Amino acid sequence: MVTREDVLQMARLSKLYIKEEELDALTRDMDNIIAFAETISAAQCEQTDFDNISNLSNVLREDVVLPSYSREEILKNAESQDEGYFLVKKRS
Amino acid sequence: MKYELVSGLETHVELSTNTKIFCGCTTDFGGEQNTHCCPICIGLPGTLPKLNEKVVDYAIMAGLATNCEISHISKMDRKNYCYPDLPKAYQISQFDMPLCKNGYIALSNGRKIGITRIHIEEDAGKLVHQRGNTYVDYNRGGVPLIEIVSEPDIRSIDEAREYVEKLQMIMRYIGVSDCKMQEGSLRCDVNISLRPIGSVEFGTRTEIKNMNSFTYMTKAMEYEVSRQAELLDEGKEVTQETLRYIVEENRTESMRGKEDANDYRYFREPDLVTIEVSQEKIDRFKAMLPELPDAKFTRYVNELGIPEADAGLLVKYRRVAEYFEKAMEGTANPKVAANCIIGQIFRRVENETEKEAFDIALPAEYLRDLILLLDGGKIKMNLLKSTLEKMLDQGKPATDFIKEEDMGGIDTDTLRQLCTDAIAANPNAVADYLGGKEKALKSLLGFVMKNSRGRADAVEAEKLLIEMVSASK
């Protein structure tokens, strides 16, 4: 069972803001998602190697330069920045 | 020393592709911080990496040039560790299925240093620690690297140095990296342990991280070897740990011990598919490899008769070797071209960077034409040398400096007359020579050479001068 506290904790880790009135609905949704994922455990399967399930190989790109993003865009989501650098502050 | 060094190296080489390993951002060195970045290389959620084909190609070439087997099937893995230089909190690398394995580098003393594996991976970002804070620049994040892991086959500091020099030379020859240690495009982690001479078991090892110059690598190894030897002499144990070398104080310092060793929780990178390399591709790349420095060295010594020391200088940089080969083509004695390059041209390209670029204003063909004049008996060695200096100054062919009437030698009578003139014009030099100063003959010889406009044979002229001066006594 997913609890309201679990959802609040996940929200905090993901830096998402959740309104109080959304909390119950989100808790139910999260519970359903986990129940859905658990149906996989019930599946019977002979295959043991799940490493390369797509059977794809050599999806490659050519060595051609594409424009990079502007520094402003790159740093836009940074929690803190200074002089064009991502800034990791000293933990006190 | 009563201990034997056992050392193995992990060498990181930045590949000179145009773009990063998983995105189209440029790999140029030295851009403004965080300007060579995109959502893929700063690890934003929802992005997908796509492998640069050139990275696979370059790694295959590096493997072939170091006698490795190339894996037909390999894959990428996640190496998890949490540090600000890795925006995703994992590095995409290769764990149990590297692209190349089981190679070797042959050293000049005949020993082979085994190469366990070569794998491809992404470089981390650059951290600047200041005022207790950490500033992160992700321009280097995602730049492609190969990591070349050696067997613990190295037995001396000289061997370690030669091993890295050879790697550097080979990687430059095949054009996969510029291997500039000062820019960090080649850096080594050095594993060091000692054991009593004659013992087969390995002692406890330490690892010195991130050596980025030959001088510091040598010094750090010297320090670490003597530190371990002292411990063993005192009956103490060496602690297994990772060290950093402090340049200013010439000592090593512990970064982390064995118990702090990272558990990287490697697992297959789910965002990337299998890498398959066909035998046809391997064969094609093998055929494309240039003649490597060792093979060139042997050929220069055995087939061209170049002395070993000179051959070593010529093969060190691919462009020098190519220049030499063009300049000697069709000439009677390859040593002449070799001497011109080592004796005269090298004086104009003093440092290693210039030698590597070997950007000479004089086309190799012009040097060859000059040597052909010597071969054809039209000029003498001394005229060749002085003309070459002028050619190097101006980048022009020999015919711009040697007049038609200067070509061809001079007859004995003319030479005798020139010597007579020289003796008459330099009574002091004659007296000095007769007084025992053999060097005084040089000014007489210079007089003859100058007045013959370089056509006289210096050896013949000197012989004749000695004969005539001695007779005048």
Side-chain angles (χ1 to χ4, degrees):
Chain A
M1 273 298 281
V2 178
T3 63
R4 285 166 63 97
E5 284 66 38
D6 290 335
V7 174
L8 281 172
Q9 168 78 348
M10 276 186 273
R12 202 164 51 80
L13 289 174
S14 332
K15 299 192 188 301
L16 293 175
Y17 172 72
I18 291 176
K19 291 183 191 142
E20 176 62 34
E21 57 264 35
E22 292 174 326
L23 200 52
D24 282 329
L26 281 170
T27 309
R28 270 196 310 278
D29 287 350
M30 200 55 81
D31 215 32
N32 285 336
I33 291 168
I34 288 183
F36 171 70
E38 272 172 357
T39 57
I40 289 174
S41 314
Q44 298 293 317
C45 184
E46 298 293 306
Q47 190 172 349
T48 50
D49 175 21
F50 293 99
D51 259 4
N52 189 23
I53 217 137
S54 63
N55 277 323
L56 285 173
S57 66
N58 296 353
V59 179
L60 302 164
R61 40 170 275 272
E62 275 182 61
D63 186 29
V64 176
V65 176
L66 299 173
S68 293
Y69 278 48
S70 74
R71 187 155 69 192
E72 290 64 40
E73 278 179 289
I74 287 299
L75 293 169
K76 203 164 66 182
N77 297 307
E79 195 171 88
S80 52
Q81 49 171 296
D82 189 19
E83 293 171 24
Y85 290 95
F86 289 88
L87 179 59
V88 184
K89 284 187 185 152
K90 188 182 179 180
R91 274 181 294 184
S92 46
Chain B
M1 195 168 74
K2 52 185 189 282
Y3 302 110
E4 179 182 53
L5 168 69
V6 176
S7 173
L9 266 63
E10 289 165 26
T11 312
H12 286 95
V13 172
E14 246 177 43
L15 298 177
S16 25
T17 53
N18 297 321
T19 66
K20 294 188 178 181
I21 182 167
F22 301 124
C23 66
C25 290
T26 178
T27 55
D28 279 353
F29 179 78
E32 290 258 307
Q33 61 273 24
N34 295 309
T35 54
H36 302 164
C37 302
C38 74
I40 296 175
C41 57
I42 62 165
L44 292 187
T47 56
L48 272 181
K50 196 171 181 187
L51 183 57
N52 182 346
E53 182 165 24
K54 218 26 174 298
V55 172
V56 179
D57 292 353
Y58 278 2
I60 295 172
M61 285 165 71
L64 291 172
T66 50
N67 313 293
C68 286
E69 299 160 18
I70 310 301
S71 308
H72 289 292
I73 304 271
S74 69
K75 65 173 171 85
M76 306 303 298
D77 298 281
R78 282 191 188 180
K79 178 181 182 179
N80 297 277
Y81 73 86
C82 196
Y83 203 57
D85 62 358
L86 275 186
K88 303 188 292 291
Y90 57 83
Q91 178 191 31
I92 304 180
S93 179
Q94 294 192 291
F95 181 51
D96 54 346
M97 292 170 76
L99 206 46
C100 318
K101 52 193 184 221
N102 301 332
Y104 66 86
I105 296 269
L107 300 183
S108 56
N109 62 8
R111 296 196 62 233
K112 282 181 182 174
I113 306 303
I115 289 175
T116 319
R117 56 186 280 155
I118 301 179
H119 66 253
I120 55 178
E121 62 185 24
E122 57 180 335
D123 207 344
K126 199 178 130 199
L127 302 182
V128 184
H129 302 282
Q130 243 170 45
R131 301 183 290 272
N133 292 326
T134 299
Y135 296 75
V136 192
D137 169 13
Y138 287 123
N139 282 354
R140 200 182 62 188
V143 167
L145 296 177
I146 49 175
E147 179 173 330
I148 305 165
V149 182
S150 90
E151 291 287 309
D153 289 343
I154 292 165
R155 293 290 172 270
S156 70
I157 297 173
D158 284 344
E159 283 190 357
R161 193 190 165 96
E162 192 189 340
Y163 167 82
V164 180
E165 277 173 350
K166 285 229 153 149
L167 272 186
Q168 188 182 44
M169 219 189 320
I170 292 169
M171 296 306 145
R172 283 174 174 168
Y173 255 71
I174 60 176
V176 304
S177 173
D178 57 20
C179 291
K180 287 183 186 160
M181 287 185 103
Q182 70 277 16
E183 288 184 9
S185 58
L186 186 154
R187 41 191 205 263
C188 302
D189 300 338
V190 187
N191 284 286
I192 292 176
S193 70
L194 299 181
R195 64 181 173 193
I197 287 174
S199 154
V200 264
E201 272 174 40
F202 290 165
T204 309
R205 70 188 157 88
T206 58
E207 179 181 17
I208 317 175
K209 283 281 181 193
N210 260 327
M211 309 305 320
N212 58 3
S213 99
F214 283 114
T215 318
Y216 296 150
M217 188 180 92
T218 308
K219 282 190 170 175
M221 287 184 81
E222 280 166 358
Y223 174 84
E224 186 54 21
V225 165
S226 62
R227 188 187 71 91
Q228 289 191 15
E230 263 174 54
L231 284 172
L232 296 174
D233 279 345
E234 292 165 13
K236 292 180 186 156
E237 280 183 6
V238 173
T239 318
Q240 186 180 333
E241 57 190 347
T242 304
L243 308 167
R244 75 164 67 86
Y245 176 65
I246 318 236
V247 173
E248 297 77 22
E249 300 167 39
N250 184 31
R251 65 179 180 90
T252 54
E253 174 189 83
S254 180
M255 286 170 75
R256 55 175 182 263
K258 189 185 177 186
E259 50 286 359
D260 304 324
N262 287 316
D263 174 4
Y264 293 122
R265 297 176 293 126
Y266 278 102
F267 62 88
R268 185 188 172 111
E269 168 56 62
D271 288 343
L272 289 163
V273 301
T274 305
I275 304 164
E276 264 186 84
V277 184
S278 67
Q279 190 57 45
E280 181 272 324
K281 184 167 188 164
I282 298 171
D283 293 341
R284 187 155 43 88
F285 275 73
K286 216 179 252 175
M288 269 164 46
L289 281 185
E291 185 183 28
L292 294 173
D294 275 355
K296 265 197 201 302
F297 179 85
T298 312
R299 183 165 63 87
Y300 287 5
V301 173
N302 294 344
E303 290 174 30
L304 304 180
I306 308 287
E308 284 191 7
D310 291 351
L313 293 173
L314 292 172
V315 304
K316 188 165 181 199
Y317 298 106
R318 184 175 172 179
R319 289 192 174 183
V320 175
E322 282 170 352
Y323 191 95
F324 163 68
E325 288 176 23
K326 257 189 227 160
M328 60 142 269
E329 206 188 327
T331 66
N333 182 356
K335 277 193 219 167
V336 178
N339 290 339
C340 287
I341 292 169
I342 295 166
Q344 292 182 263
I345 303 183
F346 271 6
R347 258 187 275 141
R348 291 163 186 258
V349 279
E350 281 182 8
N351 63 47
E352 299 296 301
T353 319
E354 282 183 18
K355 270 186 200 164
E356 154 128 62
F358 209 59
D359 195 7
I360 303 299
L362 187 72
E365 290 77 9
Y366 289 0
L367 174 57
R368 184 185 57 208
D369 292 344
L370 175 70
I371 297 172
L372 287 172
L373 290 177
L374 178 90
D375 290 349
K378 296 202 168 147
I379 57 169
K380 301 288 181 199
M381 184 55 83
N382 38 279
L383 185 58
L384 179 142
K385 284 185 182 170
S386 58
T387 308
L388 178 55
E389 289 300 326
K390 291 179 202 157
M391 290 166 69
L392 286 166
D393 286 339
Q394 299 180 35
K396 289 180 179 162
T399 42
D400 277 30
F401 304 102
I402 307 175
K403 294 191 211 86
E404 197 59 44
E405 65 262 29
D406 290 342
M407 294 202 196
I410 50 172
D411 57 55
T412 322
D413 287 342
T414 318
L415 183 62
R416 189 168 281 275
Q417 186 54 52
L418 285 166
C419 290
T420 311
D421 294 348
I423 289 165
N426 298 282
N428 291 341
V430 173
D432 284 351
Y433 179 76
L434 290 174
K437 279 190 193 164
E438 286 193 12
K439 275 190 185 164
L441 199 72
K442 290 283 172 217
S443 59
L444 296 176
L445 187 58
F447 185 95
V448 174
M449 297 316 296
K450 189 170 167 232
N451 287 301
S452 76
R453 295 196 306 275
R455 287 173 303 161
D457 183 299
V459 179
E460 245 175 79
E462 187 172 343
K463 223 164 81 187
L464 199 55
L465 278 170
I466 293 173
E467 189 188 302
M468 289 169 71
V469 173
S470 308
S472 75
K473 199 157 42 170

